Amino acid sequence: MESRPLSSRDLSKEWASGRFRKFYYLLGQTDDARDAVAELKARFKADSFNLSEFTRESDPAHAAVSDALTQPVFADRRLVIVGHPKIAGRDPEPFVEYLKDPLASTTLVIVS
């Protein structure tokens, strides 16, 4: 698994080619992260069954991981976005466990 930081240009090229990784940790200014998430969603083209977004501070980490462990519905891939940094910061353990063996059909995005 590649671990070097990618620029927004690298990500955009990757997503434009239809390549999506199992996990992204988006770190940066609020506007940059929001723009990256918007582009990913547009290129991923997940329908409402296969897109989960957790954006409230009170959203539980285990709910996001549960969605990440759910197989896609009538699609090849599922997109789970954890858009509030305090979700993973408050309870990182479910994400740590998930990332030991992430579901191949899910792309999990954590924004910080």
Side-chain angles (χ1 to χ4, degrees), residues 44 47 50 70-79 104-107:
F44 202 95
D47 58 26
N50 297 300
T70 302
Q71 293 290 333
V73 178
F74 302 116
D76 294 329
R77 302 207 38 86
R78 178 176 200 68
L79 179 61
S105 60
T106 296
T107 293

Side-chain angles (χ1 to χ4, degrees), residues 26-37 111-112:
L26 300 179
L27 176 67
Q29 297 296 321
T30 304
D31 290 343
D32 294 336
R34 184 179 54 237
D35 292 347
V37 168
V111 178
S112 179

